[in-house]
Amino acid sequence: MDLDTIRTKLAGIGVGTVVYVLQHAGLYHCFLPIPPVTPGSPRFIGVARTLRTEPMREDMLAARRAAPKSSDPHRIAIDEISAGEVLVVAARGELGAAVLGDLLAARIANRGGAGVVTDGCVRDLPGIREVGLPVFAAGAHAATFPTRHVAIELNVPVGCSGVLINPGDLLIGDDEGIAVVPAEQVDDIVDAAVEQESVDAFSLSRIREGVPLAEAYPLSPALRAEYERRPS
């Protein structure tokens, strides 16, 4: 299933529904409780592009500064991001420095990136909000990246906010946080989320009619049969 099809199918379907479906598939560790720091249109759907960081050490920082900027994984992660990708910066929960600011966010947006997710901080927050790129971060901090971080490796499995994210996983973000769908299960989870959204809409309509939760959520056998009889 290509990304355009996924976005069409998931239009209007929230992260909560996707996480519910993931849990019913036995995947209980696929939600990042990281909020958007860009109000207005924070929702995104994209494919993970990961960057692993480690704590800054002075000799590593000196080596990075001596090397060409084009070899820095931090810059490569941003400068070569592809359309539809979400940059996931695994910042180890470090809140003492930012992983990027408005200029780097603008580059991601210009490349067609779908968003940014980090368990660290971002800087230049007013400028980032002007860029229009969905950015989800644990906070804001004015200190620059090398103050606390060294970029180590690009497109490897990372832990972000306690959740494993592999390159190529599908990420869905909204005001509630971010759902992580393993790449090999995307088709099944997306289709199940579409079906669950339909069931939930039916349940809601019955609840609004006064049907008690014991019958409407989850659907009783009688209401399930009514749901199945609906015109397709």
Side-chain angles (χ1 to χ4, degrees):
M1 194 181 301
D2 62 51
L3 190 55
D4 286 341
T5 300
I6 291 168
R7 285 172 169 165
T8 298
K9 287 195 169 194
L10 292 181
I13 296 178
V15 164
T17 298
V18 177
V19 170
Y20 180 86
V21 168
L22 285 163
Q23 291 178 343
H24 276 257
L27 296 164
Y28 289 91
H29 298 90
C30 290
F31 174 70
L32 283 72
I34 299 175
V37 295
T38 47
S41 301
R43 180 175 171 85
F44 70 79
I45 298 174
V47 177
R49 175 182 177 84
T50 63
L51 177 65
R52 179 170 73 89
T53 73
E54 293 296 347
M56 188 279 290
R57 200 176 73 186
E58 286 78 3
D59 60 325
M60 289 286 292
L61 181 57
R64 281 276 186 264
R65 286 175 170 165
K69 291 186 182 299
S70 59
S71 68
D72 182 358
H74 185 220
R75 293 221 169 203
I76 295 170
I78 293 161
D79 217 25
E80 297 182 6
I81 195 167
S82 296
E85 288 186 326
V86 178
L87 179 61
V88 179
V89 183
R92 317 170 316 283
E94 171 61 65
L95 303 181
V99 302
L100 56 78
D102 57 349
L103 298 181
L104 303 188
R107 176 58 175 167
I108 293 169
N110 177 261
R111 293 278 298 177
V116 173
V117 172
T118 182
D119 57 353
C121 289
V122 294
R123 66 192 304 270
D124 304 317
L125 196 51
I128 282 181
R129 288 171 173 165
E130 291 294 321
V131 170
L133 180 75
V135 176
F136 288 60
H141 199 291
T144 57
F145 182 85
T147 306
R148 295 290 180 89
H149 306 290
V150 174
I152 299 296
E153 200 169 7
L154 180 62
N155 272 342
V156 293
V158 297
C160 186
S161 192
V163 175
L164 174 66
I165 300 177
N166 289 320
D169 285 346
L170 181 71
L171 304 183
I172 303 110
D174 65 18
D175 284 319
E176 198 163 358
I178 302 124
V180 181
V181 182
E184 65 276 7
Q185 299 190 43
V186 165
D187 289 5
D188 290 343
I189 296 299
V190 168
D191 287 341
V194 171
E195 174 64 15
Q196 187 62 48
E197 186 75 4
S198 177
V199 171
D200 287 350
F202 182 80
S203 290
L204 181 59
S205 70
R206 294 299 178 266
I207 289 169
R208 285 173 171 166
E209 292 170 358
V211 175
L213 288 176
E215 296 179 40
Y217 183 71
L219 295 178
S220 66
L223 283 181
R224 170 61 69 171
E226 181 183 339
Y227 171 78
E228 298 293 347
R229 289 195 300 270
R230 297 174 313 131
S232 57

